[in-house]
Amino acid sequence: MKPRLQVTRAGESEPGARGSAGLAGEEAVPRSSPTTAWAIGPEHEARAALMRAADVGDAIMGRLVAQYGAVGTVEAIRARTLPEEFVAQEAQQERPPDLTARLKAWHARLAAANPAADLETGEKSGARLIIPGSPEWPTQLDQLGPSRPLGLWLHGTADLRFSCLKSVAVVGARSATAYGVHIAAEFGVGLSEAGWTVVSGGAFGVDSAAHRGALASDSPTVVVLACGVDVCYPSSHDTLYAAVRGQGVVVSECPPGVHPTRARFLIRNRLIAALARGTVVVEAALRSGALNTAGHTLSLNRHLAAIPGPITSRMSAGCHRLLRERKAVCVTSPEEMIELVGIIGDDLAPQSRAPAVPRDRLNDSTKRVLDAVPARGGAGPASIAVAAGLGLDTTLSALGALAAAGYIERSPDGWRLRKQTTTYRKASESTALECPSIADDTDPTQEPPFPDEDDLARREDGLPDPEEGVR
């Protein structure tokens, strides 16, 4: 039997009567800054409570809320009784879940939840909670189906929905090489300058390089966390996250105060893939977490791209496998990525052309004469004409033009090619004594939540650990 939905505040209607602007009687104002007032109704409180009760990405909870609403789901869990129709539907699943154990866990967590305190804490810290139907809610998240977030906590000045209308996810290894960090920053700058939002996870390596590149321009950047928006992980990225909140937005489906775990990192990746039009993998080992994001991108039928790297680098082995299996498109510049995810005919990348040399402007007969002129010694016009297969008049005319252009010169034995001199600019003597500067992106006190193959590949190849301090 469907639970009865009850209204918890006077003057407000049931969640079923909720429109795109919120509950009846609410004034939902789109958030553009943390200081703007935002409406809170019973639907917000119910979803805030369920975000404490269920694990992130819980598809069973998602189906329950979709059928009976957030308020009705809270009532059912508190009564420790699920609707009979829902139980019958779940029993028909390919792998029926243990609803008794799941309900027991939900009830225990819900009893300890305090949604009003979460909303108050978020408001005091400058964060805000958006739910499906809010003006700032990105509708592309609906494609996740039952695993769609119950709500999203945001902290930043940018509007999430408008920021993600033109967005690209840039993901890759935490233990990125210097090549990967450089390419990620280059893509961050290029995408941002073209008016595209960079979406990533805020981790070491590729993620942070992409965010910093995006911050160099005026476009927003979106950081999707696997912890609460009030928790800084990695802790050394506090300055980076502060800059993102000023120009972009920090996003999480975890309530305030929640710390990251291995499972939350992997489940978080589906949000990165769902928020963006497409995903580009900069560097990834064969079991990298970035490939998990790539898998979510393919399951959502979004564009997937990969950047090739050295074939000797294990950090690029995952990218090469995506390209070899034709799951991803090879891109080598931000313009090519924009062409992939942009509007057909409008966001075209410039065509790459081989560098032009003066010889390209010569006509066919002149090129044949030039090829027949020896580099050493010399040859007369008659010998050159025979070698080029041209008449003597044509050969003499071409020789005069080539001499005037500086391609050939006279010698005691006839005509020969002119020696081409190449000059190189001398570097300053102090250049060899200067050590290259390396950006400090390490945190000696922070332990990673789990090692992936990026770390294993880095250790076997003798690369430095980005999360290891100076000892």
Side-chain angles (χ1 to χ4, degrees):
M1 181 178 178
K2 181 176 178 179
R4 181 183 176 187
L5 305 183
Q6 296 182 355
V7 179
T8 58
R9 291 187 180 181
E12 294 175 336
S13 63
E14 297 181 357
R18 178 183 176 84
S20 60
L23 294 173
E26 291 185 21
E27 251 183 60
V29 181
R31 281 292 299 259
S32 59
S33 66
T35 58
T36 306
W38 53 291
I40 300 176
E43 186 79 2
H44 285 80
E45 294 186 4
R47 287 182 177 268
L50 294 177
M51 291 169 71
R52 288 283 185 183
D55 295 324
V56 292
D58 190 336
I60 301 176
M61 176 64 77
R63 288 191 290 268
L64 185 60
V65 173
Q67 294 184 42
Y68 303 102
V71 177
T73 300
V74 169
E75 293 177 357
I77 294 175
R78 285 175 176 167
R80 299 188 181 185
T81 304
L82 295 178
E84 296 180 0
E85 312 92 68
F86 181 78
V87 175
Q89 292 174 8
E90 292 298 312
Q92 297 176 1
Q93 297 288 336
E94 184 177 353
R95 298 179 62 181
D98 186 355
L99 292 180
T100 302
R102 189 68 61 93
L103 180 60
K104 185 182 297 184
W106 289 344
H107 183 271
R109 294 175 181 176
L110 188 62
N114 189 346
D118 287 341
L119 294 171
E120 183 179 358
T121 301
E123 186 176 3
K124 288 182 179 179
S125 65
R128 58 195 185 274
L129 176 66
I130 64 171
I131 62 176
S134 298
E136 200 175 350
W137 181 264
T139 55
Q140 60 265 39
L141 292 180
D142 299 343
Q143 196 174 352
L144 291 172
S147 64
R148 182 186 69 175
L150 297 170
L152 289 176
W153 283 96
L154 311 181
H155 194 180
T157 58
D159 184 283
L160 180 63
R161 177 173 174 268
F162 289 111
S163 298
C164 292
L165 291 178
K166 292 177 59 177
S167 59
V168 172
V170 182
V171 299
R174 289 185 294 120
S175 301
T177 64
Y179 165 79
V181 171
H182 172 77
I183 295 299
E186 186 179 80
F187 268 67
V189 172
L191 291 169
S192 185
E193 288 181 345
W196 287 74
T197 299
V198 173
V199 181
S200 196
F204 287 119
V206 168
D207 290 13
S208 58
H211 288 306
R212 289 190 172 97
L215 290 172
S217 186
D218 295 331
S219 297
T221 183
V222 177
V223 176
V224 184
L225 298 178
C227 54
V229 292
D230 59 337
V231 177
C232 183
Y233 187 91
S235 60
S236 60
H237 282 179
D238 53 347
T239 304
L240 173 63
Y241 291 167
V244 171
R245 288 191 292 268
Q247 184 171 321
V249 61
V250 178
V251 181
S252 177
E253 60 180 320
C254 299
V258 172
H259 291 271
T261 63
R262 176 188 176 95
R264 292 192 182 112
F265 274 103
L266 295 176
I267 298 174
R268 175 276 311 265
N269 291 340
R270 83 193 193 286
L271 295 184
I272 297 177
L275 286 173
R277 283 195 187 181
T279 300
V280 56
V281 184
V282 177
E283 269 191 331
L286 291 177
R287 286 176 57 89
S288 172
L291 297 185
N292 177 263
T293 307
H296 287 298
T297 302
L298 293 174
S299 67
L300 293 170
N301 294 319
R302 306 285 174 85
H303 295 287
L304 178 63
I307 297 175
I311 61 174
T312 55
S313 173
R314 290 188 60 184
M315 289 298 177
S316 293
C319 297
H320 296 159
R321 186 174 69 178
L322 290 174
L323 296 173
R324 186 175 63 254
E325 295 176 353
R326 299 187 178 182
K327 294 180 179 179
V329 177
C330 178
V331 296
T332 58
S333 68
E335 292 77 14
E336 292 179 357
M337 187 63 198
I338 293 174
E339 179 180 317
L340 179 64
V341 301
I343 300 174
I344 297 176
D346 291 344
D347 297 315
L348 297 178
Q351 293 293 328
S352 300
R353 297 181 179 179
V357 296
R359 182 168 179 161
D360 295 338
R361 292 191 290 268
L362 301 177
N363 58 40
D364 184 63
S365 60
T366 306
K367 289 180 181 178
R368 292 170 64 181
V369 171
L370 182 59
D371 291 337
V373 176
R376 297 180 180 178
S383 300
I384 295 174
V386 172
L390 300 171
L392 183 59
D393 293 341
T394 304
T395 303
L396 289 173
S397 176
L399 288 172
L402 290 172
Y407 287 97
I408 61 176
E409 62 184 2
R410 285 187 178 274
S411 69
D413 299 325
W415 293 98
R416 69 180 180 188
L417 294 178
R418 189 173 184 177
K419 294 182 179 180
Q420 301 293 329
T421 58
T422 305
T423 59
Y424 298 94
R425 185 174 59 182
K426 184 178 180 181
S428 61
E429 296 180 357
S430 61
T431 303
L433 303 178
E434 295 177 359
C435 297
S437 60
I438 301 176
D440 185 13
D441 194 17
T442 62
D443 185 1
T445 63
Q446 193 78 48
E447 289 294 333
F450 63 93
D452 57 17
E453 190 160 323
D454 292 336
D455 303 302
L456 302 179
R458 182 257 310 154
R459 293 168 186 168
E460 292 186 9
D461 293 343
L463 297 174
D465 189 346
E467 300 164 8
E468 186 176 80
V470 179
R471 297 178 180 177

mmCIF file of all heavy atoms in Angstrom, residues 402-426:
data_model
loop_
_atom_site.group_PDB
_atom_site.id
_atom_site.type_symbol
_atom_site.label_atom_id
_atom_site.label_comp_id
_atom_site.label_asym_id
_atom_site.label_seq_id
_atom_site.Cartn_x
_atom_site.Cartn_y
_atom_site.Cartn_z
ATOM 1 N N LEU A 402 66.411 29.606 -60.393
ATOM 2 C CA LEU A 402 66.917 28.982 -59.165
ATOM 3 C C LEU A 402 68.125 29.726 -58.625
ATOM 4 O O LEU A 402 68.291 29.862 -57.409
ATOM 5 C CB LEU A 402 67.276 27.523 -59.440
ATOM 6 C CG LEU A 402 66.089 26.581 -59.695
ATOM 7 C CD1 LEU A 402 66.585 25.207 -60.150
ATOM 8 C CD2 LEU A 402 65.246 26.431 -58.430
ATOM 9 N N ALA A 403 68.977 30.220 -59.532
ATOM 10 C CA ALA A 403 70.145 30.980 -59.083
ATOM 11 C C ALA A 403 69.715 32.298 -58.462
ATOM 12 O O ALA A 403 70.262 32.725 -57.434
ATOM 13 C CB ALA A 403 71.087 31.216 -60.261
ATOM 14 N N ALA A 404 68.723 32.944 -59.068
ATOM 15 C CA ALA A 404 68.240 34.209 -58.508
ATOM 16 C C ALA A 404 67.586 34.008 -57.149
ATOM 17 O O ALA A 404 67.655 34.884 -56.280
ATOM 18 C CB ALA A 404 67.251 34.852 -59.483
ATOM 19 N N ALA A 405 66.958 32.857 -56.949
ATOM 20 C CA ALA A 405 66.307 32.573 -55.665
ATOM 21 C C ALA A 405 67.273 32.042 -54.622
ATOM 22 O O ALA A 405 66.891 31.867 -53.461
ATOM 23 C CB ALA A 405 65.177 31.572 -55.868
ATOM 24 N N GLY A 406 68.507 31.765 -54.996
ATOM 25 C CA GLY A 406 69.507 31.325 -54.028
ATOM 26 C C GLY A 406 69.571 29.836 -53.814
ATOM 27 O O GLY A 406 70.202 29.388 -52.860
ATOM 28 N N TYR A 407 68.947 29.049 -54.689
ATOM 29 C CA TYR A 407 68.986 27.594 -54.528
ATOM 30 C C TYR A 407 70.295 26.998 -55.054
ATOM 31 O O TYR A 407 70.780 26.003 -54.519
ATOM 32 C CB TYR A 407 67.803 26.945 -55.264
ATOM 33 C CG TYR A 407 66.469 27.161 -54.587
ATOM 34 C CD1 TYR A 407 65.616 28.171 -54.990
ATOM 35 C CD2 TYR A 407 66.074 26.346 -53.536
ATOM 36 C CE1 TYR A 407 64.399 28.384 -54.376
ATOM 37 C CE2 TYR A 407 64.846 26.536 -52.909
ATOM 38 C CZ TYR A 407 64.017 27.570 -53.331
ATOM 39 O OH TYR A 407 62.805 27.765 -52.713
ATOM 40 N N ILE A 408 70.845 27.562 -56.127
ATOM 41 C CA ILE A 408 72.053 27.009 -56.756
ATOM 42 C C ILE A 408 73.065 28.123 -56.944
ATOM 43 O O ILE A 408 72.751 29.317 -56.826
ATOM 44 C CB ILE A 408 71.712 26.353 -58.110
ATOM 45 C CG1 ILE A 408 71.122 27.384 -59.088
ATOM 46 C CG2 ILE A 408 70.762 25.179 -57.906
ATOM 47 C CD1 ILE A 408 70.843 26.840 -60.474
ATOM 48 N N GLU A 409 74.285 27.719 -57.279
ATOM 49 C CA GLU A 409 75.361 28.677 -57.529
ATOM 50 C C GLU A 409 76.312 28.101 -58.573
ATOM 51 O O GLU A 409 76.351 26.882 -58.786
ATOM 52 C CB GLU A 409 76.113 28.969 -56.225
ATOM 53 C CG GLU A 409 76.788 27.768 -55.612
ATOM 54 C CD GLU A 409 77.437 28.074 -54.278
ATOM 55 O OE1 GLU A 409 77.334 29.215 -53.820
ATOM 56 O OE2 GLU A 409 78.052 27.148 -53.708
ATOM 57 N N ARG A 410 77.052 28.989 -59.188
ATOM 58 C CA ARG A 410 78.020 28.552 -60.183
ATOM 59 C C ARG A 410 79.273 28.034 -59.494
ATOM 60 O O ARG A 410 79.648 28.476 -58.418
ATOM 61 C CB ARG A 410 78.396 29.703 -61.119
ATOM 62 C CG ARG A 410 77.326 30.039 -62.132
ATOM 63 C CD ARG A 410 77.848 31.071 -63.115
ATOM 64 N NE ARG A 410 76.860 31.387 -64.129
ATOM 65 C CZ ARG A 410 76.696 30.700 -65.260
ATOM 66 N NH1 ARG A 410 77.470 29.636 -65.492
ATOM 67 N NH2 ARG A 410 75.782 31.061 -66.144
ATOM 68 N N SER A 411 79.921 27.070 -60.146
ATOM 69 C CA SER A 411 81.190 26.509 -59.691
ATOM 70 C C SER A 411 82.097 26.362 -60.917
ATOM 71 O O SER A 411 81.634 26.505 -62.064
ATOM 72 C CB SER A 411 80.960 25.151 -59.025
ATOM 73 O OG SER A 411 80.566 24.190 -59.987
ATOM 74 N N PRO A 412 83.377 26.065 -60.708
ATOM 75 C CA PRO A 412 84.261 25.896 -61.881
ATOM 76 C C PRO A 412 83.792 24.807 -62.837
ATOM 77 O O PRO A 412 84.097 24.859 -64.040
ATOM 78 C CB PRO A 412 85.609 25.536 -61.236
ATOM 79 C CG PRO A 412 85.555 26.167 -59.886
ATOM 80 C CD PRO A 412 84.138 26.056 -59.450
ATOM 81 N N ASP A 413 83.022 23.832 -62.324
ATOM 82 C CA ASP A 413 82.568 22.734 -63.180
ATOM 83 C C ASP A 413 81.142 22.917 -63.689
ATOM 84 O O ASP A 413 80.599 22.013 -64.334
ATOM 85 C CB ASP A 413 82.660 21.404 -62.415
ATOM 86 C CG ASP A 413 84.090 21.076 -61.991
ATOM 87 O OD1 ASP A 413 85.007 21.415 -62.756
ATOM 88 O OD2 ASP A 413 84.261 20.500 -60.889
ATOM 89 N N GLY A 414 80.484 24.030 -63.365
ATOM 90 C CA GLY A 414 79.114 24.261 -63.817
ATOM 91 C C GLY A 414 78.217 24.737 -62.679
ATOM 92 O O GLY A 414 78.614 25.598 -61.886
ATOM 93 N N TRP A 415 77.033 24.135 -62.579
ATOM 94 C CA TRP A 415 76.067 24.492 -61.530
ATOM 95 C C TRP A 415 76.066 23.437 -60.416
ATOM 96 O O TRP A 415 76.202 22.247 -60.670
ATOM 97 C CB TRP A 415 74.657 24.603 -62.100
ATOM 98 C CG TRP A 415 74.463 25.741 -63.057
ATOM 99 C CD1 TRP A 415 74.494 25.683 -64.415
ATOM 100 C CD2 TRP A 415 74.208 27.085 -62.704
ATOM 101 N NE1 TRP A 415 74.277 26.905 -64.971
ATOM 102 C CE2 TRP A 415 74.090 27.813 -63.922
ATOM 103 C CE3 TRP A 415 74.072 27.795 -61.520
ATOM 104 C CZ2 TRP A 415 73.848 29.174 -63.979
ATOM 105 C CZ3 TRP A 415 73.825 29.147 -61.570
ATOM 106 C CH2 TRP A 415 73.707 29.832 -62.776
ATOM 107 N N ARG A 416 75.897 23.919 -59.199
ATOM 108 C CA ARG A 416 75.780 23.027 -58.038
ATOM 109 C C ARG A 416 74.831 23.655 -57.020
ATOM 110 O O ARG A 416 74.541 24.849 -57.083
ATOM 111 C CB ARG A 416 77.134 22.763 -57.400
ATOM 112 C CG ARG A 416 77.740 23.988 -56.712
ATOM 113 C CD ARG A 416 79.081 23.680 -56.097
ATOM 114 N NE ARG A 416 79.650 24.873 -55.445
ATOM 115 C CZ ARG A 416 80.900 24.921 -54.963
ATOM 116 N NH1 ARG A 416 81.700 23.860 -55.098
ATOM 117 N NH2 ARG A 416 81.339 26.024 -54.373
ATOM 118 N N LEU A 417 74.370 22.799 -56.099
ATOM 119 C CA LEU A 417 73.472 23.308 -55.056
ATOM 120 C C LEU A 417 74.213 24.229 -54.114
ATOM 121 O O LEU A 417 75.384 23.989 -53.783
ATOM 122 C CB LEU A 417 72.855 22.147 -54.252
ATOM 123 C CG LEU A 417 71.909 21.202 -54.995
ATOM 124 C CD1 LEU A 417 71.440 20.090 -54.068
ATOM 125 C CD2 LEU A 417 70.706 21.956 -55.551
ATOM 126 N N ARG A 418 73.523 25.259 -53.678
ATOM 127 C CA ARG A 418 74.129 26.190 -52.741
ATOM 128 C C ARG A 418 74.022 25.631 -51.333
ATOM 129 O O ARG A 418 72.979 25.106 -50.927
ATOM 130 C CB ARG A 418 73.410 27.535 -52.813
ATOM 131 C CG ARG A 418 74.099 28.640 -52.034
ATOM 132 C CD ARG A 418 73.414 29.970 -52.310
ATOM 133 N NE ARG A 418 74.103 31.054 -51.661
ATOM 134 C CZ ARG A 418 73.769 32.343 -51.765
ATOM 135 N NH1 ARG A 418 72.710 32.652 -52.529
ATOM 136 N NH2 ARG A 418 74.442 33.273 -51.140
ATOM 137 N N LYS A 419 75.095 25.732 -50.587
ATOM 138 C CA LYS A 419 75.093 25.213 -49.220
ATOM 139 C C LYS A 419 74.165 26.063 -48.351
ATOM 140 O O LYS A 419 74.243 27.290 -48.338
ATOM 141 C CB LYS A 419 76.503 25.224 -48.637
ATOM 142 C CG LYS A 419 77.454 24.257 -49.335
ATOM 143 C CD LYS A 419 78.830 24.290 -48.683
ATOM 144 C CE LYS A 419 79.781 23.299 -49.363
ATOM 145 N NZ LYS A 419 81.131 23.326 -48.745
ATOM 146 N N GLN A 420 73.288 25.353 -47.632
ATOM 147 C CA GLN A 420 72.349 26.031 -46.741
ATOM 148 C C GLN A 420 72.937 26.083 -45.339
ATOM 149 O O GLN A 420 73.317 25.061 -44.758
ATOM 150 C CB GLN A 420 71.002 25.288 -46.705
ATOM 151 C CG GLN A 420 70.348 25.172 -48.077
ATOM 152 C CD GLN A 420 69.913 26.516 -48.627
ATOM 153 O OE1 GLN A 420 69.552 27.426 -47.874
ATOM 154 N NE2 GLN A 420 69.956 26.638 -49.949
ATOM 155 N N THR A 421 73.038 27.260 -44.777
ATOM 156 C CA THR A 421 73.581 27.417 -43.430
ATOM 157 C C THR A 421 72.432 27.586 -42.442
ATOM 158 O O THR A 421 71.453 28.286 -42.713
ATOM 159 C CB THR A 421 74.504 28.643 -43.349
ATOM 160 O OG1 THR A 421 73.772 29.803 -43.739
ATOM 161 C CG2 THR A 421 75.701 28.451 -44.288
ATOM 162 N N THR A 422 72.551 26.916 -41.308
ATOM 163 C CA THR A 422 71.543 26.986 -40.251
ATOM 164 C C THR A 422 72.165 27.613 -39.017
ATOM 165 O O THR A 422 73.235 27.189 -38.563
ATOM 166 C CB THR A 422 71.010 25.590 -39.899
ATOM 167 O OG1 THR A 422 70.522 24.979 -41.089
ATOM 168 C CG2 THR A 422 69.901 25.679 -38.866
ATOM 169 N N THR A 423 71.524 28.618 -38.488
ATOM 170 C CA THR A 423 72.030 29.301 -37.298
ATOM 171 C C THR A 423 71.161 28.936 -36.106
ATOM 172 O O THR A 423 69.943 28.777 -36.224
ATOM 173 C CB THR A 423 72.011 30.827 -37.500
ATOM 174 O OG1 THR A 423 70.683 31.236 -37.770
ATOM 175 C CG2 THR A 423 72.922 31.217 -38.661
ATOM 176 N N TYR A 424 71.773 28.769 -34.982
ATOM 177 C CA TYR A 424 71.087 28.447 -33.735
ATOM 178 C C TYR A 424 71.370 29.541 -32.716
ATOM 179 O O TYR A 424 72.513 29.998 -32.582
ATOM 180 C CB TYR A 424 71.560 27.100 -33.182
ATOM 181 C CG TYR A 424 71.284 25.940 -34.094
ATOM 182 C CD1 TYR A 424 72.243 25.491 -35.003
ATOM 183 C CD2 TYR A 424 70.057 25.292 -34.056
ATOM 184 C CE1 TYR A 424 71.992 24.430 -35.846
ATOM 185 C CE2 TYR A 424 69.792 24.220 -34.895
ATOM 186 C CZ TYR A 424 70.762 23.797 -35.788
ATOM 187 O OH TYR A 424 70.497 22.742 -36.618
ATOM 188 N N ARG A 425 70.331 29.932 -32.005
ATOM 189 C CA ARG A 425 70.496 30.958 -30.991
ATOM 190 C C ARG A 425 71.171 30.355 -29.766
ATOM 191 O O ARG A 425 70.743 29.314 -29.262
ATOM 192 C CB ARG A 425 69.138 31.539 -30.609
ATOM 193 C CG ARG A 425 69.239 32.707 -29.634
ATOM 194 C CD ARG A 425 67.878 33.332 -29.418
ATOM 195 N NE ARG A 425 66.937 32.344 -28.897
ATOM 196 C CZ ARG A 425 65.668 32.622 -28.655
ATOM 197 N NH1 ARG A 425 65.186 33.821 -28.920
ATOM 198 N NH2 ARG A 425 64.870 31.689 -28.181
ATOM 199 N N LYS A 426 72.201 31.007 -29.313
ATOM 200 C CA LYS A 426 72.953 30.506 -28.177
ATOM 201 C C LYS A 426 72.206 30.797 -26.887
ATOM 202 O O LYS A 426 71.752 31.922 -26.651
ATOM 203 C CB LYS A 426 74.339 31.151 -28.138
ATOM 204 C CG LYS A 426 75.217 30.611 -27.028
ATOM 205 C CD LYS A 426 76.592 31.262 -27.065
ATOM 206 C CE LYS A 426 77.475 30.721 -25.936
ATOM 207 N NZ LYS A 426 78.812 31.361 -25.946
#
